[in-house]
Amino acid sequence: MSVALAGRSPTTFEIKSASLPLLALRLKSPDLQVLEDELRAQYGDKPDFFDHDLLVLDLSTLQAEASEEASPAELDFPAIVALLTAHRLRPLAVRGGNDEQMAAAVAAGLLAANDVRVQTAARPPEPPPTTATAAQPEPSALEAPPPGALVIDRPLRSGQQVYARGRDLVVMAMVNPGAEVIADGHIHVYAPLRGRAIAGARGWPDARIFAREMKPELVSISGVYRTSDEALPGEVWGHAATVRLQSSEEAGDKLIFEQVNA
């Protein structure tokens, strides 16, 4: 037999569980000058790309790569905080460091948050070389962007930039050389793509780029990019094609270009 009993609760407040949208920056090198240079190269021409987003600094890769004989990397956390703040990021917590690093991070005003889960993409299987149908990747651990898309129905000229924050981007006209399209989700260009296309901009590795005529200056998915300095295969260049990211422990990250048959 079950019994329901009346309870009491405070009249002035309630305690509820909550979740925050957090970005994670996985630090791969203690060299802050290299970090500053690469942040400037990646986002220097996009000053509004971040909007004071809360961020967790993940040191687990530094720990994994350190040998038993090597001394732990010394990190200047106040300098890291200042550098990320300059790029409109708000470092909130740190995870994955050794005892000395975590203590230094806390002294710099960051929270020790080893229980924060930094999600990574599931590794898709290698597609069989003899089959025409691509193998379906396993579902990503990262959450997909919400439904809906930003639709642009005008040509984009050199110097113009469009960013679909938190969703897909659909472009119905040409993306000219020097123009740039960015999306946190997929990018669809139903016209020639001759500028730059950056999909999965906030780290979603399952994002794809689709173009009716693939002639890009640059394509990037989840930070993995390829420029026009490296020629695309003839069966892709100038044809309807798609780009996806394939990752494996053995081969690393690769951009896979596939022709789309009408």
Side-chain angles (χ1 to χ4, degrees):
M1 182 179 67
S2 62
V3 179
L5 301 175
R8 294 182 179 181
S9 61
T11 59
T12 57
F13 69 91
E14 291 184 7
I15 300 294
K16 300 288 187 181
S17 62
S19 60
L20 291 173
L22 297 175
L23 296 177
L25 188 146
R26 180 166 290 161
L27 198 61
K28 297 181 179 180
S29 168
D31 191 330
L32 299 190
Q33 184 59 56
V34 174
L35 175 62
E36 181 176 5
D37 292 343
E38 293 189 343
L39 281 172
R40 186 182 299 112
Q42 189 77 10
Y43 302 110
D45 59 345
K46 311 176 189 66
D48 298 327
F49 183 80
F50 299 110
D51 187 18
H52 304 289
D53 302 281
L54 298 177
L55 180 138
V56 176
L57 187 63
D58 182 8
L59 307 180
S60 58
T61 298
L62 289 180
Q63 292 301 103
E65 293 179 351
S67 65
E68 294 182 358
E69 295 80 11
S71 59
E74 295 185 5
L75 298 172
D76 186 345
F77 286 99
I80 294 174
V81 170
L83 173 58
L84 297 176
T85 301
H87 285 273
R88 292 165 56 93
L89 291 163
R90 297 184 63 182
L92 177 67
V94 65
R95 70 175 299 276
N98 57 37
D99 292 341
E100 292 80 4
Q101 291 168 337
M102 298 298 285
V106 170
L110 298 174
L111 301 174
N114 279 324
D115 54 342
V116 170
R117 181 181 177 187
V118 177
Q119 297 172 322
T120 57
R123 298 296 186 182
E126 294 287 339
T130 58
T131 60
T133 303
Q136 295 297 320
E138 299 175 8
S140 170
L142 288 178
E143 186 177 347
L150 173 63
V151 179
I152 303 296
D153 56 7
R154 67 182 188 278
L156 296 176
R157 300 185 301 274
S158 177
Q160 291 184 312
Q161 181 188 89
V162 174
Y163 174 32
R165 179 183 291 271
R167 52 181 172 166
D168 294 346
L169 176 61
V170 177
V171 184
M172 304 300 296
M174 182 186 295
V175 179
N176 283 285
E180 187 171 63
V181 288
I182 307 170
D184 291 343
H186 305 296
I187 293 177
H188 304 257
V189 181
Y190 294 100
L193 169 59
R194 297 179 180 174
R196 297 158 54 97
I198 301 170
R202 289 176 179 253
W204 187 46
D206 291 339
R208 295 196 181 196
I209 299 171
F210 305 84
R212 180 160 291 176
E213 182 182 308
M214 186 71 73
K215 289 186 175 182
E217 295 177 319
L218 175 144
V219 290
S220 172
I221 296 178
S222 188
V224 180
Y225 66 91
R226 183 185 180 104
T227 69
S228 58
D229 294 337
E230 302 173 90
L232 295 181
E235 61 270 22
V236 171
W237 181 260
H239 296 281
T242 181
V243 188
R244 61 183 174 88
L245 176 63
Q246 184 178 85
S247 300
S248 68
E249 295 293 345
E250 298 78 15
D253 298 322
K254 294 182 179 180
L255 291 178
I256 307 300
F257 294 80
E258 297 170 316
Q259 186 174 356
V260 176
N261 297 320

